[in-house]
Amino acid sequence: MTLKELAAKLGVSTATVSNAFNRPDQLSPLLRERILNEAKQLGYRGPDAKARSLRTGRSRIIAVILAESLTYSLNDAVASELLSGIAEVLDAHGHTMLLLSGRKNASQVPGSSSIADGFIVYGLMPSLMLLDDLPLPNQRPLVAVDFSLEGYPAVHIDNEPAGYAIANHALKTSSRRPGIINLRLTKHPCNDRVAPDQELLPADRTITRSRLTGFHRALDEHGIDPASVPMWNIEENTHDVCAPVIASILDLPDDERPDLLLCMSDRIALTALTLAEQRGLRVPEDLRLTGFDGIAEGQYRSPRLTTMRQDSVEKGRVAARMILGLEPPRAQLLHTELVVGDSCP
Amino acid sequence: MTLKELAAKLGVSTATVSNAFNRPDQLSPLLRERILNEAKQLGYRGPDAKARSLRTGRSRIIAVILAESLTYSLNDAVASELLSGIAEVLDAHGHTMLLLSGRKNASQVPGSSSIADGFIVYGLMPSLMLLDDLPLPNQRPLVAVDFSLEGYPAVHIDNEPAGYAIANHALKTSSRRPGIINLRLTKHPCNDRVAPDQELLPADRTITRSRLTGFHRALDEHGIDPASVPMWNIEENTHDVCAPVIASILDLPDDERPDLLLCMSDRIALTALTLAEQRGLRVPEDLRLTGFDGIAEGQYRSPRLTTMRQDSVEKGRVAARMILGLEPPRAQLLHTELVVGDSCP
DNA sequence: CTGTTAGCGCGTTCAT
DNA sequence: ATGAACGCGCTAACAG
């Protein structure tokens, strides 16, 4: 059943039926009523989305491009919260969300995304690969989240001050052997200890670099040479990838094992917490731990995680509002908040 | 830049350009090469998705309709895993995923979903409300997940045997006061103790009803009258909604407080675990707990949760394969597995 | 191998 | 207030 068929059956023109659905003021209420009723009766669900989007140029679909695989992103608390925030705003304004992965995929049909009215890009890596094939990147709105893209609005959090704040808090209690567990920080993939001469990604390639800068500033202020603090790196923010690296840290001899671990994410810190408990290490007595993100899982357990809370949901809301033109497309910086839990009082 | 313009600039017909992108065997490799090169040069990204989908009738987009709000679903481990599984298969076959909420929303434009090639519907409630406005429900494939829909294929888990299995395991150690915490089981919303005469939803309206039947069968076999076992109900599977109900249970006097809680989800059990720890109740010595789902959060902590693991990711994969026609659209029953953790050895 | 043509279903002028 | 006609950008069928 198409609009045209419906018009024929009703003995009116297609324009009138179209107007009945889209521009109520263009026809008599009575006729409109009759058309809508008859439409429902005959099983006509309203204008076809494909034809309408071709005609109008808009689809009411916003594409969200995620750096990591969808499989990973959907199971990551921070990414999920971001998506929640985006979904909330889109939903409230009659839009829907198309999920795309930034990973290059053999069978990927990049063109298929040209259906979207706008793009929210989350996380850096894919964007560089993708922006080239992104359909009309400069004709449709695009908002970057958690990284910067020349010429486009972006939503960020205050990574350096946040890193400083939590490290500063942790160091107020003196630590004999602090350690740092990074996330996607090294130029070359590395799930291991970071060698002193290992090349790191610049701040515009990974958010954790700025956090590390903040850590280092705090260490400096507390009279600790950052270069003397051992660092590890983890490539993926999942329990299974974190566990072996953290196990290797916790299994160091007592006089080498850090007594304070500054972690770049709550997932890392939670993994450390679990493994520490399994080894009979007491947190925070034997080992103090800090995370980053403020995910629910870290707060709904004991000991509660000490962390920097970032409002990922709000980050999503802001990005969505910008895409929909509900707020001016400018660079936005969201603030984080120190949450003092039990893992590092 | 459109296909037609490109064709004009190159002095070939539109059909040839179209073939260059869609049917390489329909033109000489040399010409194809020239066309693709020139296209890239001129900034033509390939056929427009909107026009193509109008023409071909297919969009390579699959809509996933979630019972709960997107905000909730994206933060629920089970729903997220389902989405992961769906995404994995869709991605591998060049499709993308459009997320829709089943909740009626004032500003919802149901027609906008007529763009999808197929629908995966997760969870019952929305479907009844939605199927009416769903565009051409009987023309496009639809797969139901975790509930049955007359005339459509569905993916299920073996709820009754699973409920029996875990209750049976728990009851092998004798319990003086078992209790059951349900999820969305009562006909009328209820976050509280369930009165004996309270009306429950039938098995085709909530998955937990079958699990409860399994629980009851096990209780029977162990000589306990199911009617004597107190039940509570929770409306939403989140910490914040669970906490007050569970607190009220744990704060019962010692001689009324259950020593075994059979929970309908891991989220419920984890909340109980946290609150028990806060109250100094030892698990499993003072209180034994079982969950359901087998989410990661329940396993990556100590004590590990005793639970029934369901493979939600696989559930998503199966549903996606059916939608794509990669496997016959029939009723599928996935099996669950007892995971004996520390919360109920 | 390449070109011509006819819509896919709809929204929007411009008439009346 | 209503209708006729055009074309959004593309692909399938056919003709050459």
Side-chain angles (χ1 to χ4, degrees):
Chain A
M1 170 68 62
T2 73
L3 186 148
K4 195 200 272 181
E5 289 169 20
L6 177 61
K9 274 207 168 66
L10 287 175
V12 299
S13 82
T14 60
T16 303
V17 177
S18 174
N19 283 332
F21 281 96
N22 300 318
R23 318 170 90 189
D25 55 315
Q26 295 295 302
L27 74 173
S28 70
L30 203 73
L31 178 55
R32 180 172 133 90
E33 188 75 4
R34 186 164 77 90
I35 292 177
L36 294 184
N37 278 338
E38 203 68 17
K40 188 159 282 176
Q41 206 97 110
L42 294 171
Y44 177 71
R45 309 290 186 190
D48 175 82
K50 293 193 274 282
R52 163 187 275 187
S53 73
L54 172 59
R55 181 60 228 208
T56 64
R58 288 188 298 97
S59 60
R60 305 186 78 82
I61 291 176
I62 300 296
V64 179
I65 303 179
L66 297 153
E68 311 289 325
S69 70
L70 295 186
T71 298
Y72 165 79
S73 299
L74 288 167
N75 288 301
D76 179 72
V78 177
S80 292
E81 286 186 11
L82 178 84
L83 292 175
S84 290
I86 295 173
E88 178 189 315
V89 172
L90 294 188
D91 216 42
H93 295 272
H95 286 246
T96 50
M97 184 166 68
L98 187 68
L99 252 38
L100 302 178
S101 165
R103 285 183 323 177
K104 276 285 190 195
N105 190 320
S107 64
Q108 190 138 351
V109 190
S112 90
S113 60
S114 67
I115 206 160
D117 292 345
F119 300 88
I120 295 175
V121 186
Y122 177 53
L124 177 65
M125 294 155 229
S127 59
L128 298 179
M129 320 186 311
L130 248 164
L131 283 184
D132 287 336
D133 345 279
L134 215 56
L136 322 175
N138 27 18
Q139 314 242 357
R140 293 179 157 8
L142 184 152
V143 172
V145 177
D146 272 1
F147 75 104
S148 295
L149 202 51
E150 185 73 25
Y152 292 100
V155 188
H156 279 287
I157 60 166
D158 56 352
N159 283 297
E160 199 275 348
Y164 172 79
I166 192 155
N168 185 49
H169 166 79
L171 293 168
K172 279 178 184 156
T173 303
S174 82
S175 164
R176 297 200 303 167
R177 277 186 304 280
I180 296 174
I181 311 186
N182 291 296
L183 185 59
R184 280 185 233 103
L185 182 70
T186 55
K187 180 153 187 189
H188 301 289
C190 159
N191 275 300
D192 208 338
R193 173 129 185 207
V194 179
D197 60 343
Q198 210 158 332
E199 198 172 348
L200 306 185
L201 288 171
D204 62 346
R205 297 297 313 279
T206 177
I207 45 171
T208 58
R209 183 59 186 268
S210 295
R211 293 181 196 167
L212 181 62
T213 308
F215 284 3
H216 282 177
R217 180 154 65 92
L219 286 165
D220 253 337
E221 286 191 8
H222 285 269
I224 301 173
D225 176 13
S228 74
V229 175
M231 299 209 303
W232 287 263
N233 187 62
I234 284 172
E235 288 298 324
E236 193 182 74
N237 195 35
T238 60
H239 180 97
D240 290 344
V241 173
C242 294
V245 178
I246 293 171
S248 75
I249 299 174
L250 299 184
D251 290 336
L252 288 171
D254 279 2
D255 60 344
E256 285 182 39
R257 186 182 351 97
D259 60 349
L260 168 65
L261 282 173
L262 303 172
C263 306
M264 285 296 179
S265 77
D266 281 358
R267 170 59 48 220
I268 298 174
L270 283 168
T271 305
L273 199 46
T274 301
L275 296 186
E277 283 173 346
Q278 285 174 6
R279 283 163 176 71
L281 289 170
R282 292 166 307 165
V283 175
E285 294 82 354
D286 303 326
L287 172 65
R288 287 184 297 134
L289 286 172
T290 66
F292 200 107
D293 291 335
I295 66 177
E297 189 179 341
Q299 301 305 310
Y300 295 154
R301 63 157 2 261
S302 72
R304 276 171 44 243
L305 223 49
T306 293
T307 190
M308 289 303 295
R309 202 177 73 79
Q310 64 164 313
D311 195 341
S312 303
V313 178
E314 180 63 14
K315 215 159 56 177
R317 288 194 200 104
V318 171
R321 279 194 232 110
M322 280 190 194
I323 276 294
L324 296 183
L326 302 173
E327 79 182 61
R330 57 201 169 82
Q332 282 253 17
L333 188 68
L334 300 187
H335 292 288
T336 51
E337 177 194 2
L338 176 66
V339 176
V340 179
D342 315 305
S343 71
C344 181
Chain B
M1 170 68 61
T2 72
L3 187 148
K4 194 201 270 181
E5 288 170 21
L6 178 61
K9 274 208 168 64
L10 287 174
V12 298
S13 84
T14 60
T16 302
V17 176
S18 174
N19 284 333
F21 281 96
N22 301 317
R23 317 171 79 182
D25 54 315
Q26 294 296 300
L27 73 173
S28 71
L30 203 72
L31 178 55
R32 180 172 134 90
E33 187 76 6
R34 188 164 77 89
I35 293 177
L36 294 184
N37 278 339
E38 203 67 16
K40 187 158 282 176
Q41 206 95 113
L42 295 171
Y44 178 72
R45 308 291 186 189
D48 176 81
K50 292 192 274 284
R52 164 187 278 187
S53 72
L54 173 59
R55 180 61 234 218
T56 62
R58 288 187 299 98
S59 59
R60 304 187 78 81
I61 291 176
I62 300 296
V64 179
I65 303 179
L66 298 153
E68 311 289 325
S69 70
L70 294 186
T71 298
Y72 166 78
S73 299
L74 288 167
N75 288 300
D76 179 72
V78 177
S80 292
E81 287 186 11
L82 178 84
L83 292 174
S84 290
I86 294 172
E88 178 189 314
V89 172
L90 294 187
D91 216 43
H93 292 87
H95 285 246
T96 50
M97 185 166 67
L98 188 68
L99 252 38
L100 302 178
S101 164
R103 285 185 321 177
K104 276 285 189 195
N105 191 320
S107 63
Q108 191 138 350
V109 190
S112 92
S113 60
S114 68
I115 207 161
D117 292 345
F119 299 87
I120 295 175
V121 186
Y122 177 54
L124 177 65
M125 295 154 228
S127 60
L128 299 177
M129 320 186 312
L130 249 163
L131 283 183
D132 287 334
D133 348 277
L134 214 56
L136 322 174
N138 28 18
Q139 315 242 357
R140 295 177 156 7
L142 184 152
V143 172
V145 177
D146 271 0
F147 75 104
S148 296
L149 201 51
E150 185 72 26
Y152 292 100
V155 189
H156 279 288
I157 60 166
D158 55 351
N159 283 297
E160 199 277 346
Y164 172 80
I166 192 154
N168 186 50
H169 164 79
L171 294 169
K172 279 177 187 157
T173 303
S174 81
S175 164
R176 296 201 302 166
R177 276 186 306 280
I180 296 174
I181 310 186
N182 291 296
L183 186 59
R184 279 185 233 103
L185 182 70
T186 56
K187 180 154 187 190
H188 300 290
C190 159
N191 275 298
D192 208 338
R193 173 126 184 211
V194 179
D197 59 343
Q198 209 157 333
E199 198 172 346
L200 306 185
L201 288 171
D204 63 346
R205 297 297 311 279
T206 177
I207 44 171
T208 58
R209 183 59 187 269
S210 296
R211 293 180 197 168
L212 180 63
T213 308
F215 285 3
H216 282 177
R217 181 156 62 92
L219 287 165
D220 254 337
E221 285 190 8
H222 285 269
I224 301 173
D225 176 13
S228 74
V229 175
M231 300 209 302
W232 288 263
N233 187 64
I234 284 173
E235 287 299 322
E236 193 182 73
N237 196 36
T238 59
H239 180 97
D240 290 344
V241 173
C242 293
V245 178
I246 293 172
S248 76
I249 300 173
L250 299 183
D251 290 337
L252 288 170
D254 278 3
D255 58 345
E256 286 181 39
R257 185 182 350 98
D259 60 349
L260 167 64
L261 282 173
L262 303 172
C263 306
M264 285 295 180
S265 77
D266 282 359
R267 170 59 49 220
I268 297 174
L270 284 168
T271 305
L273 200 46
T274 302
L275 297 185
E277 283 172 347
Q278 285 175 6
R279 284 162 175 72
L281 291 169
R282 291 166 308 165
V283 174
E285 294 83 352
D286 304 327
L287 173 66
R288 287 184 297 134
L289 286 171
T290 65
F292 200 106
D293 291 335
I295 66 177
E297 189 179 342
Q299 301 306 308
Y300 295 152
R301 69 168 344 271
S302 72
R304 275 171 43 242
L305 222 50
T306 293
T307 191
M308 290 303 294
R309 201 176 75 79
Q310 63 164 313
D311 194 341
S312 303
V313 177
E314 179 63 15
K315 215 158 55 176
R317 288 193 200 105
V318 171
R321 279 192 232 113
M322 280 189 195
I323 277 294
L324 296 183
L326 302 173
E327 81 182 58
R330 57 200 169 83
Q332 282 253 17
L333 188 67
L334 300 186
H335 292 288
T336 50
E337 177 196 2
L338 176 65
V339 176
V340 178
D342 316 306
S343 71
C344 181

